[in-house]
Amino acid sequence: MATIAKVTTGASASSALNYALGQDKAMHNDTERWLEEHQLERPDDLKNCRAVAVGGTNGIDPMIAKEQFKAVQQAFNQTQRQNQVRRITQSFADNELNARNPSDWQRANDLGCQLAQQLYPDYQSAVYTHIDGKNHIIHNHIIVSKVNLETGKKMQDTQGHSVDSIRNVNDEIAKEQGWQVIAPVREHQSQAEHDLTKKGEYSYMHDLRSRIDTVMQDTSICDFKTFSAALAKSGVNVSIRGQNVSYAFLDANNKQRRARGKRLGTDYDKETILHELERRTRERTAQQLDREDQGRANELVRDTKQADTETTRTDTALEQRERQAQSRKPRIDQLRNAVKPIADHLQHFT
């Protein structure tokens, strides 16, 4: 079925769009070789991109979406480098859309654009379709600018409500395609925990998830060491054991508790946590490169202005000398005219 794999907030629109387009970036998981083995070629205009199909809403050209997003941000004075975009990862089952069929690449992109248009009719969206996942499953990276085109106001984040709304619309699109719709599983809840939650009583599993969620909401945490240190301040010790991650803490009743990530749910297992931290590291690096590029650009502008100023000064000095020379010329001509009769007379006298 078509699923919403992840919904996150991006601090920088530029970084999110750069990653999704992946211009001049190598594909992951040996996808280049996989394409050759299956005699598949990317579209000519995307030969050097990770994306194999692109699209957008509200007039967005995904190849220049950075400039278009930025223009609207500047028009409404919404240029702060925080919470600029919403990122949605939409994935398709192999029996729905097959990565070995290039026509399905564009079909997936069209469905991503449909989802973005229905969810955010008053916002700019760019959609990038990838096939370079571990099992070459077709998936979309949908990047939505948070600036409303009509009001100029910023989109408000109510994370749980947003995810539910996105999944509901996605399910409706899947039904239209005749695909099976299965409720997503975010957490594993035992019957005992379910009963406690239903009664409104304390659940140490719910407590543990809340502590992890609070730490992960800090987008400056982008490596496992920082993640571990932040959790430790919340009273949770985290460790990686083989393919699993394990959490241990004292619950509200001062009882030692331990749980594996998989027991808490897929959002808390080793693969999901490390993948999110790696993504943040890539975005942080891209932001740093953006800042360095901007710094170099500003320095170049300053140098150009300084050179222009020096050239102007030189031109002004030359013009001044020329005016002085021009002002002396009439006096020289007058002297010549005065001296000439005397010279002629002396020559005649001689």
Side-chain angles (χ1 to χ4, degrees):
M1 61 163 290
T3 59
I4 299 301
K6 191 177 288 291
V7 180
T8 58
T9 291
S12 166
S14 177
S15 298
L17 292 164
N18 282 339
Y19 175 80
L21 178 60
Q23 194 161 21
D24 298 322
K25 303 294 183 183
M27 285 185 159
H28 299 162
N29 300 298
D30 292 324
T31 302
E32 299 280 3
R33 180 173 55 80
W34 181 85
L35 287 168
E36 290 181 7
E37 290 175 355
H38 292 86
Q39 299 180 336
L40 300 171
E41 291 187 1
R42 285 175 282 177
D44 291 339
D45 56 341
L46 297 172
K47 287 287 187 185
N48 298 320
C49 301
R50 287 185 62 205
V52 295
V54 295
T57 67
N58 286 315
I60 286 295
D61 179 345
M63 304 302 290
I64 57 170
K66 280 193 301 184
E67 290 76 10
Q68 292 177 307
F69 277 28
K70 186 175 181 179
V72 172
Q73 290 169 355
Q74 291 176 337
F76 291 107
N77 195 28
Q78 295 281 12
T79 56
Q80 302 91 339
R81 291 181 65 85
Q82 57 181 359
N83 299 331
Q84 290 187 344
V85 294
R86 174 167 290 168
R87 294 176 305 216
I88 303 170
T89 305
Q90 180 189 33
S91 184
F92 301 91
D94 195 47
N95 62 345
E96 296 168 346
L97 298 177
N98 195 314
R100 293 180 294 280
N101 182 359
S103 64
D104 280 353
W105 303 349
Q106 188 58 54
R107 187 180 172 197
N109 193 269
D110 293 340
L111 292 172
C113 290
Q114 181 181 343
L115 177 67
Q117 183 62 45
Q118 289 184 220
L119 286 166
Y120 310 107
D122 297 325
Y123 297 84
Q124 297 168 302
S125 300
V127 181
Y128 303 89
T129 303
H130 290 194
I131 57 171
D132 60 346
K134 185 176 180 181
N135 297 309
H136 305 294
I137 298 297
I138 296 179
H139 59 282
N140 288 328
H141 291 271
I142 304 172
I143 314 298
V144 184
S145 172
K146 288 193 172 183
V147 181
N148 189 296
L149 292 169
E150 297 294 330
T151 66
K153 294 182 179 180
K154 209 84 172 280
M155 183 191 302
Q156 296 300 312
D157 280 312
T158 50
Q159 189 66 20
H161 174 72
S162 298
V163 173
D164 289 341
S165 299
I166 294 167
R167 284 176 171 156
N168 289 338
V169 174
N170 182 70
D171 288 348
E172 290 301 318
I173 292 174
K175 289 177 184 177
E176 292 173 4
Q177 300 297 316
W179 296 335
Q180 183 182 11
V181 174
I182 303 173
V185 177
R186 272 180 52 87
E187 355 179 293
H188 172 71
Q189 238 186 16
S190 66
Q191 186 60 47
E193 183 185 0
H194 175 76
D195 293 341
L196 287 172
T197 305
K198 191 174 181 179
K199 294 175 184 178
E201 297 179 8
Y202 175 76
S203 163
Y204 79 86
M205 293 287 279
H206 179 74
D207 183 4
L208 179 55
R209 289 193 195 95
S210 297
R211 298 191 196 196
I212 299 169
D213 288 343
T214 300
V215 168
M216 288 300 287
Q217 285 173 4
D218 182 357
T219 56
S220 66
I221 296 174
C222 57
D223 59 72
F224 192 79
K225 182 178 179 181
T226 310
F227 173 67
S228 301
L231 273 181
K233 291 180 180 179
S234 298
V236 180
N237 293 321
V238 58
S239 59
I240 291 179
R241 297 181 177 180
Q243 298 300 314
N244 299 309
V245 61
S246 178
Y247 305 91
F249 79 118
L250 285 175
D251 68 8
N253 299 315
N254 207 33
K255 186 174 181 179
Q256 185 68 41
R257 300 287 189 177
R258 182 180 295 276
R260 288 185 177 183
K262 289 188 180 297
R263 186 181 169 200
L264 292 170
T266 55
D267 282 359
Y268 307 91
D269 66 15
K270 175 185 174 183
E271 183 178 359
T272 303
I273 293 292
L274 293 183
H275 178 78
E276 174 61 17
L277 294 175
E278 288 169 3
R279 184 197 62 73
R280 292 181 183 184
T281 299
R282 289 194 300 269
E283 182 172 291
R284 197 182 184 95
T285 302
Q287 290 177 6
Q288 180 62 33
L289 291 174
D290 285 347
R291 286 192 291 269
E292 291 175 358
D293 289 344
Q294 187 61 49
R296 285 192 287 268
N298 292 339
E299 186 177 349
L300 179 60
V301 170
R302 286 194 299 269
D303 292 344
T304 302
K305 287 182 177 178
Q306 184 176 355
D308 289 344
T309 301
E310 292 175 356
T311 301
T312 301
R313 289 174 180 168
T314 303
D315 291 344
T316 302
L318 290 172
E319 290 172 0
Q320 187 175 0
R321 290 196 201 100
E322 186 175 347
R323 284 195 299 271
Q324 291 173 348
Q326 291 294 332
S327 65
R328 288 195 297 268
K329 186 176 180 182
R331 292 197 295 273
I332 293 172
D333 291 342
Q334 290 175 359
L335 288 171
R336 282 176 180 168
N337 292 334
V339 170
K340 189 174 186 302
I342 298 173
D344 291 344
H345 180 72
L346 288 175
Q347 184 176 8
H348 178 70
F349 179 79
T350 302

